[in-house]
Amino acid sequence: PDHLEARPSAAARPGSIAAPAPTAPPSPPLGTMSPMPPDARTLSSLPLKEFIAAVGSCYECSPWVAERAHASGPYDSLTALTTAMRMTVDAASDAEKLALLKAHPDLAGKAALEGDVTVESMAEQKRAGLSSLTPAEMSRFTELNNAYKARFGFPFILAVRNANKGTIFAAFERRVLNSVPAELTEGIAQVHKIAWMRLRDIVTPNPTGFLTCHVLDTARGCPAAGMAISLRKLDETSKLRHRVYFCPQSFSAPGLSAGGTWNLIGTFVTNDDGRLASGPALKDGYMHPGRYEWTFAVGDYFAAAGASFAPAGIPFLGDVPIRFGIDDPESHYHSCRDAQQALAFSALEQLLAGCGRPLLKCANDHHTWENAQG
């Protein structure tokens, strides 16, 4: 894509380093890409029957949601379509909402084990590891399922696609103690989350989303100019799909799902303002939901700036990775606040204490974290 082509970088500040020019992933081989699904306007312009056939399963066994939402269409974006279906549910009667909750299968329940659930539910539970529970885990799930339904009258609902057994058990054990009104609200919220992820799979988003980054050097009170940065995306299936673009440079991801690889999307260098010299790292339809990783060449940057890491022979910081997720491909994402906060209050705080150097600070769009010294 044009925005990842090599471009001359702005002159770096004194002490900054030279860095590789941005690189772009090659186009996937012909014949390896699945056809792109329709966009929201095309889909919502279909006759009612075809529209329900396409998106009716997003709300579990409840095609009435798609039917009512269709009446207010067509919709110009994935976000608009999602909002319309969400509002349809929120405006439904209490009896309809309860029926919607009851339409969901038990997590790791008898129906799921026997395959008597929707294709979507089966895939989501399998991805979360619920098809490979140990006997002890299955016993605990059965106990929690029974206790939950006895207390609330509907099954426990959790958007498990990106969860694991540990997070599911923790949510189960916490929520089984909630009040009925609280769980009705939480259950509907989880139903909306499930529907959003299903819609995202079958609707091509508008190419409005983009990813940016800004790095500031609080040691010298200036932008971190000339810092080398790379961006990777996690492919958990190691299969080339239309939603994932690869570079040959990829490596295994220790501690993550088996077979997952972090595939290089591009390398960049910050300009005089500490921003990516080539503009957004992702844009023009290349923003895809998933897990990403920035890697900042912090050690090289500080070394080039003349920072002393004495008495250590090995610098405390080298390449600093920050992992984050992109959920909405139509939105603007700018770095990752929580991961950066953790970085600031751990590794960089130790660096500050160990050799008197102030912190490197990254600012982001949705939320900005402050200097850890403050």
Side-chain angles (χ1 to χ4, degrees):
D2 293 342
H3 67 283
L4 290 181
E5 290 179 355
R7 302 180 187 178
S9 61
R13 293 182 181 277
S16 63
I17 63 171
T23 59
S27 299
L30 292 176
T32 62
M33 294 176 66
S34 302
M36 294 294 286
D39 60 25
R41 172 160 282 277
T42 300
L43 197 62
S44 58
S45 297
L46 292 173
L48 176 60
K49 186 176 180 179
E50 294 178 39
F51 178 73
I52 293 174
V55 305
S57 62
C58 291
Y59 281 87
E60 190 83 6
C61 300
S62 303
W64 58 267
V65 180
E67 180 180 3
R68 295 180 192 177
H70 183 267
S72 299
Y75 303 99
D76 289 330
S77 66
L78 170 61
T79 301
L81 175 58
T82 302
T83 300
M85 296 184 76
R86 180 189 296 264
M87 291 176 64
T88 296
V89 171
D90 291 344
S93 66
D94 291 343
E96 288 172 321
K97 291 178 183 176
L98 182 59
L100 174 57
L101 294 175
K102 289 183 175 181
H104 282 259
D106 290 342
L107 291 181
K110 181 179 179 181
L113 294 175
E114 294 178 351
D116 189 21
V117 296
T118 63
V119 172
E120 292 85 358
S121 286
M122 178 65 72
E124 289 156 0
Q125 293 200 33
K126 183 176 181 179
R127 178 168 174 163
L130 299 186
S131 61
S132 57
L133 296 175
T134 66
E137 290 170 338
M138 178 58 69
S139 176
R140 182 59 177 152
F141 254 105
T142 300
E143 179 183 345
L144 287 168
N145 274 325
N146 292 338
Y148 187 95
K149 287 193 293 185
R151 180 176 177 84
F152 300 110
F154 52 86
F156 174 78
I157 300 172
L158 184 69
V160 298
R161 178 178 298 198
N162 294 312
N164 56 48
K165 289 186 284 188
T167 56
I168 295 170
F169 271 121
F172 221 147
E173 292 171 349
R174 172 181 57 83
R175 287 173 50 190
V176 75
L177 302 176
N178 280 348
S179 66
V180 173
E183 273 308 288
L184 284 168
T185 300
E186 180 64 26
I188 292 296
Q190 292 296 326
V191 166
H192 285 320
K193 187 174 180 180
I194 292 167
W196 157 250
M197 290 188 285
R198 292 178 180 179
L199 271 171
R200 203 176 56 192
D201 286 342
I202 59 179
V203 181
T204 292
N206 290 349
T208 53
F210 59 104
L211 173 67
T212 54
C213 182
H214 190 198
V215 189
L216 303 177
D217 180 353
T218 60
R220 293 176 291 167
C222 64
M227 179 176 287
I229 305 173
S230 63
L231 178 66
R232 289 177 169 83
K233 184 178 187 298
L234 179 64
D235 169 35
E236 297 179 86
T237 63
S238 297
K239 294 179 180 178
L240 192 62
R241 295 180 176 177
H242 72 273
R243 291 180 179 273
V244 184
Y245 296 82
F246 290 70
C247 260
Q249 304 94 328
S250 63
F251 55 96
S252 296
L256 290 170
S257 56
T261 54
W262 288 96
N263 297 295
L264 182 65
I265 292 177
T267 57
F268 311 88
V269 59
T270 55
N271 61 16
D272 274 355
D273 194 35
R275 303 177 190 275
L276 303 186
S278 57
L282 297 173
K283 67 174 185 178
D284 297 335
Y286 279 78
M287 277 278 287
H288 304 295
R291 299 174 186 177
Y292 290 78
E293 178 184 273
W294 288 116
T295 301
F296 299 88
V298 174
D300 288 348
Y301 172 83
F302 278 128
S308 173
F309 294 98
I314 300 176
F316 183 75
L317 289 180
D319 290 342
V320 178
I322 296 177
R323 292 180 178 176
F324 61 100
I326 289 178
D327 181 63
D328 184 354
E330 293 183 339
S331 291
H332 176 198
Y333 282 74
H334 191 107
S335 196
C336 180
R337 180 188 70 171
D338 292 339
Q340 291 164 355
Q341 283 182 323
L343 189 66
F345 286 100
S346 56
L348 292 181
E349 188 174 44
Q350 293 179 49
L351 174 64
L352 177 67
C355 46
R357 309 297 297 186
L359 296 173
L360 180 77
K361 183 175 80 170
C362 297
N364 69 59
D365 175 61
H366 296 161
H367 13 251
T368 301
W369 56 264
E370 302 301 329
N371 191 317
Q373 289 170 290

